[in-house]
Amino acid sequence: MNTYHRSIVSQEPGQPQGETKLGYIFDIQRFSINDGPGIRTTVFFKGCPLRCIWCDNPESQEQLPQLLYFESLCTKCYRCVEVCPSGATKISPDGSIEIDHGLCQACGLCVKACLSEVRVISGKTMTVDEVVEVVRKDELFYRNSGGGVTASGGEPTYQPDFLKQLFRQCQSYGIHTTLDTCGYVKWEVMAEILDYVDLVYYDLKHMDTVRHGELTGVGNELILDNARRISQGGKSIVMRIPLIPGCNDSEEKIKAMAEFVTRIKVVRVDIVPFHQLGSKKYERLGMIYRLGEAKPYQEDEIQTFKDTLESYGLEVSIA
Amino acid sequence: MALVAEKGVLSKRVKREKEELLSAPPQIDTERVRVLLDVYRETKIQPNVIRRAKLFNKLCCEKTLYIDGNPILGTLTRYKYGAYPFPEEGCAWMEREEEFALPRGKVRITPELRKWIDKAIEFWRDSNLFSLTREVVLEAYGIDIRTFSKCGLWIEATPGGAAHILVPDYAKVLNKGLQGIIAEIEQEEAKLNTGEPDALDRWYFYQAAKLAVNGMMVLAQKYASLARGMANEETNVERRGELEEIARICEWVPANPARNFREAVQAFWFTMLGAWLEAPTTLNSPPATLTKSLYPFYKRDKQEGRITDEEAIELLQFLFLKFNQLAYVLPPHGYRMNQSRLGLQLSLGGLTPDGEDGTNELDWLVLEAQQQIKLPEPLVNLVYHDKLSEEFLLKCVDLIRTGIGQPAFHNSRTGVERHLYHHQMPLEEARTFAIAGCVQSSIPGYMDGYFETRFNVAKVIELTFENGNDLLTGIHLGSQTGEARSFQTYDQFYQAFITQLEYLVPLTHDVSRTAWTLQRNFPTPFSSSLINDCVKKGKDVSDGGARYSFGDGVCLVGVVDAANSLAVIKRMVFEEKKLTMSQLRQALAADFVGYEDVEKMCLSAPKYGNDEEYTDSIARDIYEICYNLHSKTDHLGRPVMPSAYSVTGHVAFGEFTGALPNGKKARKPLVDASVSAQGGTDKNGPTALVKSAAKIVDTVKYSSNHFNMKFHPTALRGIDGARKLLSLIKTYFDLGGYHVQFNCVSGETLRDAQLHPESYKELVVRVAGFSAYFITLDKDTQDDILRRTELTF
């Protein structure tokens, strides 16, 4: 699984691939309660210009649909092998099932054949109207809870036209919009999107651009610059800091981020502590997970981070 | 408001009483059997209402008393935790069974108990309610109730001997005293001319009512004397003082108006106890209006500095402990269907007659008391409306967080509309409804409540496949609607299913009504004296004395299984043609063994609960068709409506239902409640489920709906989690939902409790309408609770 490195090199920020009328979506989650105020529907965009090593949605990185395989639940009935047209699914000498993700076309025939539901295709193309139809189903929940729609991913700004159309329509129906973004997008593109955004959830990962590149595949200049500009434009920003063991969690690095945040105006800082919940997905996708040894934080450790950030006069909450 | 400390803890004394009560062995008391036989032998030619009054009076006068450490006096039996056999309801099973069940455990029948039970059976064998009903139905309809029950089509084809769900006018007892009620009766009696039509019946009722009410006053005096005697012998000065005070209280109430909160609580309990002594059976006389009827007494004491909130909470907890001393006897088979339920519903919130928020400080204290003591009874309910304060709602969520499944939320608006629609009562009366029964409602002090048979709609899918025959027993139960394999269209199957319902729904209702007519042999003059307008009319509740009747008709169980099954047939057999009817029928007959691919197809078809019209509309149609098939009058010509809840009937019914197209395996539980989703099939999350749930039952026309949601404890974290839960509930109610309750213990906890029941003696979960101790539930019910999709906040 090394194709993504290739794709990343060729990747310009905010340059979408594919048709603009169709969006690549890997999930629409109703009753999302951690992606903005109130009860929300979160639309997960597939495709991301970053490759964060802690990413808990690895299926969101590639834009095209992908096969996920839950090996531990597999009964080895081999029906999938029989129906696979590309030869991607094979039986290994030890009787287990081997998947060549390079060959797999994500056609979904094996998913239909599987009796134990251990195969899932992640991602499909949808029109804006199709997404809006799902979003509008929960309008009354938004009204009663102060919720709305959130675009997350992957990276929503990676499909800017689709995102703009989606948010414009949602706003025309009176639905509150939240953009959850890594910020790695050309300013001109971001600026156009912001016209349809009520609230921004913005990731801040590391203040050192070289280290940022090692951890995410891209430098941080554009990201920091965009954050400043969004703030200057007067949009509400919630800054989200993922805390990753050994990557950005030293006191000095936390302080560097805090200093940056104090210079731009934010509503709140959310700490997103590292967890291992996404690790299994890497296996299912045939990808390698590099943080398998890292331990989740204890509550008192998280509290220490919170205290540090609060000492800068920031409002901090733990996501 | 923050009336009480955030982290209140039980007093040592309450804790000790709770531990003693929960470890007290269940016992059967045959004292009532003796009194029953004596009275029925002595009163052969008297009207039933007199016989029942004499029975009640004699039991009050002769029963052995029991006093424990609880400062509130009065137990049902002579034991700490005991129940009376109730052979009038039905007693054939008592002959066969060597163990009887109480809600919290089973009792072996010793030779000594057997002696009395056999005497009861000898007397009641042919004249109990079940045998009378069975005989009439056999003659009149040519069907055997027992067969229909054995095949899993009906539960409770006959009501209990006195299973009216009455909420006595507690406030009247507290404010006027039983002497005041006697005065009321005498006043009406004085107006009577026994020569006028029906007047003699009224005269008999008044005699019976006086006899019964006097019996209750005698019982209180007996408790007073016993307490006084114990005080005289008590060496501990403090306890002696307490016993003297108790004696003074019982000398005064319930005969006279209560003068303070302490007396009011004792009078409240004597009222409930009286109703249970008269009809020792489930759902009887819930403390529905506890906070509203006790409030004036609390308020006065509080204002005059005679009581602190801590003292009030402790007293409420002692009262809750009294509730949990109540019990009734049921067959081991009934235990599976009704386990652990007393049905002591207590309503908080709600509206005042003029439409304002009806919450008072005692509502807060009840939440706090229950949060500390966590007992399965009472069942705390919230009658929700938008005028409730945010603070009070958050306090309710706090109680949900403890994992005991309380309070259950009920929608005030739907409840009010329902009472207006069916009973055309004044708006001011409709607004005062409280929860009674399982998830039904009642106008406290004014309403006769009862419930008809629960009916297994999922079974009708099976009957449709088999031309009306029951596959598990080979007995013919339904209509002959043709061989399913010959059906060429979905519509043919659907019409055959409807034809079965057209025969079975009216039949079920008619059999139930017949049983309720026969139930009039067992009037309840004590309780009737406390229900308006029985005294005014001179009529027992069972004869229609109450101003209103709630009219809870045939209760549908398994509609979601049926709808999901129909969706499979529609999609897989006739639209996508992936299966033939014969293949599906074979797979069902084999319980999917060897047909795993068919099973997968069945599970992958659209399912109810995902906010999708495809299946939701089928479920809605079934509810609507059944509503239209159900007659709108009861056995006394009053309004009646079908109902939709399961209690644990989905487990019992499931056991007698084979594999179904929705993927249900043979003998496994049906889907719980009336609008919950089939386990694991609500894939679009809680908002989608809530929308489906609010859509399929017309909760104004139906007497209820019943919805269980389960959350991890982490789900309700923080004030933000609480607010989101409240938004979810409010939206469900805005959309027309009526009832919802929450389990929020984790799956891990429940699995561990299955393995180590000894460590989870106190774990309470909400089982489809009732809270119960998890470890006392049978394995299937436990598994069923586990299976319900765990929705994570």
Side-chain angles (χ1 to χ4, degrees):
Chain A
M1 201 59 219
N2 44 20
T3 47
Y4 69 80
H5 287 300
R6 195 173 60 244
S7 68
I8 214 163
V9 175
S10 66
Q11 212 59 74
E12 286 297 314
Q15 291 295 328
Q17 294 176 326
E19 266 192 88
T20 53
K21 281 180 192 157
L22 288 176
Y24 294 91
I25 304 299
F26 77 91
D27 198 8
I28 300 180
Q29 190 185 317
R30 295 166 67 178
F31 197 69
S32 286
I33 52 172
N34 297 313
D35 298 325
I39 293 172
R40 312 190 72 80
T41 296
T42 301
V43 181
F44 290 93
F45 286 60
K46 199 158 164 17
C48 184
L50 269 60
R51 290 294 178 268
C52 305
I53 62 167
W54 56 83
C55 180
D56 58 6
N57 281 331
E59 75 274 31
S60 73
Q61 296 176 352
E62 291 296 318
Q63 193 152 59
L64 295 174
Q66 281 166 289
L67 175 69
L68 267 82
Y69 170 53
F70 297 73
E71 189 182 5
S72 61
L73 301 172
C74 178
T75 58
K76 314 283 186 296
C77 71
Y78 305 130
R79 282 165 184 256
C80 49
V81 180
E82 289 164 29
V83 297
C84 180
S86 63
T89 290
K90 287 175 292 204
I91 305 174
S92 299
D94 66 356
S96 68
I97 290 186
E98 194 181 303
I99 299 168
D100 185 334
H101 287 269
L103 285 177
C104 177
Q105 305 293 314
C107 67
L109 288 175
C110 58
V111 176
K112 283 190 185 147
C114 175
L115 292 182
S116 324
E117 299 185 337
V118 303
R119 284 166 176 261
V120 178
I121 296 291
S122 172
K124 61 175 172 179
T125 53
M126 292 180 83
T127 64
V128 170
D129 286 346
E130 282 170 341
V131 177
V132 169
E133 193 189 328
V134 180
V135 170
R136 289 195 72 190
K137 280 172 180 258
D138 283 353
E139 280 180 331
L140 189 53
F141 295 93
Y142 310 152
R143 190 194 305 162
N144 281 335
S145 68
V149 64
T150 296
S152 183
E155 175 51 44
T157 64
Y158 200 46
Q159 302 179 50
D161 291 345
F162 186 85
L163 175 62
K164 251 186 309 191
Q165 286 178 43
L166 173 67
F167 270 14
R168 194 180 60 209
Q169 274 204 43
C170 287
Q171 281 196 336
S172 76
Y173 291 121
I175 297 170
H176 177 276
T177 60
T178 295
L179 171 66
D180 182 7
T181 181
C182 70
Y184 189 68
V185 56
K186 282 185 179 165
W187 172 248
E188 301 74 48
V189 178
M190 177 65 98
E192 280 186 33
I193 295 168
L194 286 176
D195 289 344
Y196 307 104
V197 175
D198 292 314
L199 174 66
V200 183
Y201 268 37
Y202 204 90
D203 286 4
L204 184 62
K205 288 154 184 166
H206 207 289
M207 291 309 294
D208 180 273
T209 188
V210 175
R211 185 69 179 136
H212 195 279
E214 289 166 8
L215 295 173
T216 72
V218 301
N220 69 5
E221 293 87 351
L222 181 60
I223 293 171
L224 299 182
D225 195 42
N226 283 344
R228 282 187 210 99
R229 289 183 186 224
I230 294 171
S231 161
Q232 279 158 14
K235 283 280 170 207
S236 302
I237 303 179
V238 172
M239 199 58 90
R240 292 170 67 90
I241 300 181
L243 277 179
I244 312 298
C247 297
N248 64 354
D249 61 346
S250 70
E251 199 185 342
E252 161 214 359
K253 283 167 191 142
I254 300 281
K255 281 183 170 170
M257 288 192 277
E259 272 158 29
F260 175 76
V261 177
T262 50
R263 286 200 298 275
I264 62 173
K265 218 175 114 201
V266 301
V267 181
R268 196 179 70 227
V269 176
D270 282 356
I271 301 177
V272 189
F274 170 79
H275 59 75
Q276 288 276 10
L277 298 179
S279 62
K280 281 276 169 215
K281 290 187 190 169
Y282 284 79
E283 279 171 36
R284 289 166 200 158
L285 286 161
M287 290 165 62
I288 293 157
Y289 184 56
R290 290 156 66 187
L291 290 172
E293 301 295 310
K295 296 266 177 301
Y297 293 102
Q298 301 294 318
E299 269 185 38
D300 55 333
E301 293 176 283
I302 296 171
Q303 189 58 45
T304 312
F305 296 128
K306 189 169 183 252
D307 293 344
T308 309
L309 288 164
E310 278 173 347
S311 70
Y312 284 80
L314 296 164
E315 193 191 322
V316 183
S317 76
I318 295 156
Chain B
M1 181 171 302
L3 276 168
V4 283
E6 280 301 298
K7 293 238 188 260
V9 283
L10 288 184
S11 72
K12 270 190 193 143
R13 184 170 173 191
V14 173
K15 193 159 179 273
R16 190 180 63 233
E17 289 299 321
K18 181 186 172 190
E19 279 162 10
E20 280 178 16
L21 178 57
L22 293 186
S23 50
Q27 284 179 291
I28 300 278
D29 189 345
T30 53
E31 204 166 32
R32 183 180 181 277
V33 170
R34 179 182 61 74
V35 176
L36 176 71
L37 294 177
D38 284 355
V39 170
Y40 268 75
R41 286 196 185 105
E42 286 162 14
T43 60
K44 277 192 181 121
I45 55 158
Q46 284 172 317
N48 280 321
V49 74
I50 296 289
R51 298 179 101 180
R52 300 305 281 182
K54 286 194 168 171
L55 164 63
F56 180 77
N57 185 288
K58 193 173 163 77
L59 186 61
C60 286
C61 295
E62 295 181 10
K63 88 184 277 306
T64 310
L65 304 187
Y66 174 88
I67 292 183
D68 59 14
N70 194 319
I72 304 167
L73 292 202
T75 54
L76 185 60
T77 65
R78 69 179 107 169
Y79 303 115
K80 191 170 193 85
Y81 181 57
Y84 291 135
F86 198 17
E88 306 100 298
E89 284 189 334
C91 57
W93 68 269
M94 294 183 183
E95 208 160 4
R96 298 189 300 270
E97 302 292 345
E98 287 170 10
E99 267 187 343
F100 290 7
L102 265 60
R104 285 206 305 274
K106 291 181 183 167
V107 181
R108 276 217 78 72
I109 300 306
T110 60
E112 177 58 23
L113 290 172
R114 180 47 72 192
K115 202 174 76 190
W116 280 105
I117 288 161
D118 284 348
K119 282 185 193 174
I121 297 168
E122 195 189 328
F123 188 91
W124 287 100
R125 185 179 278 119
D126 301 319
S127 55
N128 69 68
L129 184 55
F130 181 80
S131 58
L132 290 175
T133 309
R134 190 179 175 205
E135 198 183 311
V136 173
V137 171
L138 200 58
E139 284 286 322
Y141 297 88
I143 59 162
D144 187 350
I145 290 177
R146 186 165 287 160
T147 307
F148 270 58
S149 301
K150 265 189 186 161
C151 295
L153 206 60
W154 290 343
I155 298 178
E156 285 156 357
T158 59
H164 288 269
I165 304 165
L166 306 176
V167 181
D169 192 343
Y170 292 108
K172 196 186 241 181
V173 181
L174 270 44
N175 294 317
K176 288 188 166 182
L178 292 183
Q179 295 284 17
I181 287 164
I182 294 275
E184 224 175 73
I185 298 168
E186 284 173 344
Q187 217 177 332
E188 291 297 328
E189 194 188 348
K191 297 185 210 160
L192 202 63
N193 174 350
T194 51
E196 287 180 1
D198 296 332
L200 190 56
D201 287 343
R202 296 177 61 191
W203 185 82
Y204 277 126
F205 173 76
Y206 293 136
Q207 306 317 309
K210 282 190 292 184
L211 202 55
V213 174
N214 276 317
M216 195 59 218
M217 289 192 282
V218 171
L219 181 62
Q221 289 306 325
K222 280 176 58 190
Y223 273 112
S225 319
L226 179 60
R228 205 165 281 292
M230 284 169 71
N232 291 339
E233 284 170 25
E234 179 63 55
T235 49
N236 179 313
V237 181
E238 204 179 319
R239 174 68 175 158
R240 185 190 171 113
E242 187 183 70
L243 283 165
E244 280 167 354
E245 192 205 353
I246 289 170
R248 278 195 300 275
I249 292 167
C250 295
E251 276 157 6
W252 186 255
V253 291
N256 302 291
R259 294 167 298 194
N260 53 46
F261 186 63
R262 176 74 180 80
E263 286 183 354
V265 168
Q266 179 67 62
F268 191 94
W269 172 241
F270 273 142
T271 310
M272 271 180 81
L273 182 65
W276 273 75
L277 283 166
E278 188 171 50
T281 188
T282 177
L283 302 172
N284 196 2
S285 299
T289 52
L290 182 132
T291 58
K292 288 189 173 53
S293 30
L294 288 176
Y295 182 60
F297 301 92
Y298 160 83
K299 194 177 162 193
R300 210 179 323 138
D301 283 7
K302 191 79 195 291
Q303 275 168 354
E304 291 168 15
R306 285 201 299 261
I307 196 167
T308 66
D309 285 335
E310 286 68 28
E311 287 163 347
I313 287 169
E314 192 183 34
L315 203 51
L316 287 172
Q317 287 166 337
F318 279 123
L319 182 58
F320 291 0
L321 284 165
K322 297 311 290 183
F323 297 166
N324 287 278
Q325 273 181 296
L326 292 172
Y328 59 103
V329 175
L330 68 171
H333 140 89
Y335 183 69
R336 285 184 59 76
M337 300 167 203
N338 294 307
Q339 40 201 316
S340 296
R341 70 167 174 165
L342 296 175
L344 299 180
Q345 309 280 9
L346 192 167
S347 287
L348 306 180
L351 296 169
T352 61
D354 52 1
E356 293 304 319
D357 179 12
T359 311
N360 66 46
E361 287 97 321
L362 277 183
D363 288 340
W364 285 79
L365 298 192
V366 161
L367 286 173
E368 180 62 26
Q370 180 65 320
Q371 199 172 327
Q372 292 174 11
I373 198 166
K374 296 184 197 67
L375 287 164
E377 309 278 348
L379 302 157
V380 180
N381 298 284
L382 177 68
V383 178
Y384 176 94
H385 52 79
D386 284 338
K387 292 181 183 175
L388 291 170
S389 76
E390 189 76 359
E391 193 187 8
F392 184 68
L393 285 168
L394 290 171
K395 179 80 182 161
C396 289
V397 176
D398 271 350
L399 184 56
I400 292 176
R401 277 189 240 259
T402 64
I404 63 168
Q406 299 179 16
F409 281 59
H410 302 255
N411 187 358
S412 175
R413 180 171 56 88
T414 343
V416 171
E417 285 177 13
R418 184 190 302 145
H419 286 95
L420 292 174
Y421 177 75
H422 288 285
H423 309 290
Q424 284 90 42
M425 62 177 65
L427 180 59
E428 290 75 11
E429 287 184 9
R431 280 175 175 151
T432 64
F433 86 86
I435 310 312
C438 306
V439 286
Q440 301 95 314
S441 46
S442 181
I443 303 300
Y446 288 88
M447 198 169 244
D448 172 14
Y450 62 87
F451 53 92
E452 293 188 6
T453 309
R454 270 176 279 166
F455 169 60
N456 182 354
V457 179
K459 185 88 191 173
V460 181
I461 292 286
E462 253 194 302
L463 298 181
T464 311
F465 264 96
E466 301 299 328
N467 197 13
N469 294 316
D470 176 31
L471 202 60
L472 294 179
T473 59
I475 296 171
H476 187 78
L477 295 174
S479 286
Q480 291 193 346
T481 47
E483 295 297 330
R485 62 175 176 275
S486 68
F487 295 157
Q488 297 303 308
T489 61
Y490 167 70
D491 224 42
Q492 269 181 301
F493 188 94
Y494 184 69
Q495 281 312 321
F497 172 72
I498 300 301
T499 304
Q500 297 286 352
L501 288 176
E502 281 166 354
Y503 164 63
L504 290 167
V505 171
L507 175 71
T508 307
H509 184 44
D510 286 341
V511 168
S512 267
R513 291 197 292 187
T514 307
W516 278 100
T517 305
L518 289 162
Q519 195 274 339
R520 293 171 70 184
N521 289 341
F522 306 95
T524 50
F526 176 75
S527 304
S528 295
S529 307
L530 309 179
I531 294 287
N532 305 294
D533 305 318
C534 290
V535 170
K536 209 157 136 197
K537 293 190 201 165
K539 268 188 186 179
D540 191 90
V541 160
S542 59
D543 289 332
R547 184 175 299 177
Y548 303 111
S549 85
F550 182 63
D552 192 52
V554 172
C555 174
L556 308 179
V557 180
V559 170
V560 168
D561 296 87
N564 282 346
S565 294
L566 288 169
V568 168
I569 294 166
K570 189 176 176 189
R571 172 63 61 91
M572 293 299 165
V573 180
F574 293 108
E575 284 174 3
E576 296 192 354
K577 300 190 193 309
K578 286 184 174 166
L579 276 172
T580 65
M581 282 303 273
S582 294
Q583 282 171 327
L584 181 56
R585 191 162 165 258
Q586 280 164 14
L588 297 179
D591 198 16
F592 297 114
V593 175
Y595 293 87
E596 283 74 16
D597 46 347
V598 176
E599 186 184 6
K600 194 200 167 190
M601 273 185 244
C602 289
L603 288 170
S604 69
K607 293 281 179 289
Y608 158 79
N610 290 296
D611 192 17
E612 289 163 358
E613 270 302 288
Y614 193 89
T615 315
D616 293 2
S617 66
I618 300 176
R620 184 167 178 103
D621 287 348
I622 298 175
Y623 276 119
E624 198 172 312
I625 287 164
C626 288
Y627 183 83
N628 293 330
L629 289 173
H630 191 279
S631 98
K632 304 299 180 290
T633 46
D634 76 355
H635 59 291
L636 292 171
R638 303 172 299 182
V640 68
M641 63 209 105
S643 179
Y645 58 88
S646 73
V647 195
T648 54
H650 61 289
V651 176
F653 275 150
E655 201 178 312
F656 299 104
T657 307
L660 292 176
N662 66 337
K664 179 201 115 67
K665 301 273 205 153
R667 303 199 179 276
K668 292 291 172 197
L670 302 176
V671 177
D672 66 286
S674 69
V675 296
S676 298
Q678 184 178 335
T681 66
D682 47 331
K683 304 209 164 168
N684 289 347
T687 56
L689 177 57
V690 155
K691 282 186 72 188
S692 294
K695 197 158 43 185
I696 62 169
V697 179
D698 187 327
T699 54
V700 174
K701 287 183 174 175
Y702 266 80
S703 73
S704 61
N705 78 344
H706 177 185
F707 184 27
N708 299 324
M709 290 186 95
K710 186 177 173 194
F711 294 99
H712 278 296
T714 51
L716 301 170
R717 209 163 43 193
I719 191 162
D720 211 39
R723 285 200 189 109
K724 280 166 185 168
L725 179 76
L726 292 170
S727 305
L728 189 74
I729 297 168
K730 175 172 161 47
T731 310
Y732 170 60
F733 287 169
D734 287 348
L735 294 168
Y738 171 64
H739 162 274
V740 62
Q741 64 197 27
F742 304 92
N743 268 351
C744 76
V745 285
S746 68
E748 290 85 335
T749 307
L750 296 182
R751 271 184 283 274
D752 199 47
Q754 285 185 320
L755 293 174
H756 309 286
E758 69 283 1
S759 322
Y760 292 90
K761 258 169 88 175
E762 295 197 346
L763 178 61
V764 178
V765 291
R766 189 95 181 179
V767 190
F770 293 91
S771 290
Y773 286 108
F774 183 73
I775 60 162
T776 66
L777 303 173
D778 67 40
K779 181 76 166 37
D780 275 1
T781 305
Q782 289 183 348
D783 286 346
D784 181 55
I785 293 175
L786 259 165
R787 229 179 347 261
R788 285 179 214 160
T789 314
E790 295 178 355
L791 303 161
T792 313
F793 251 83

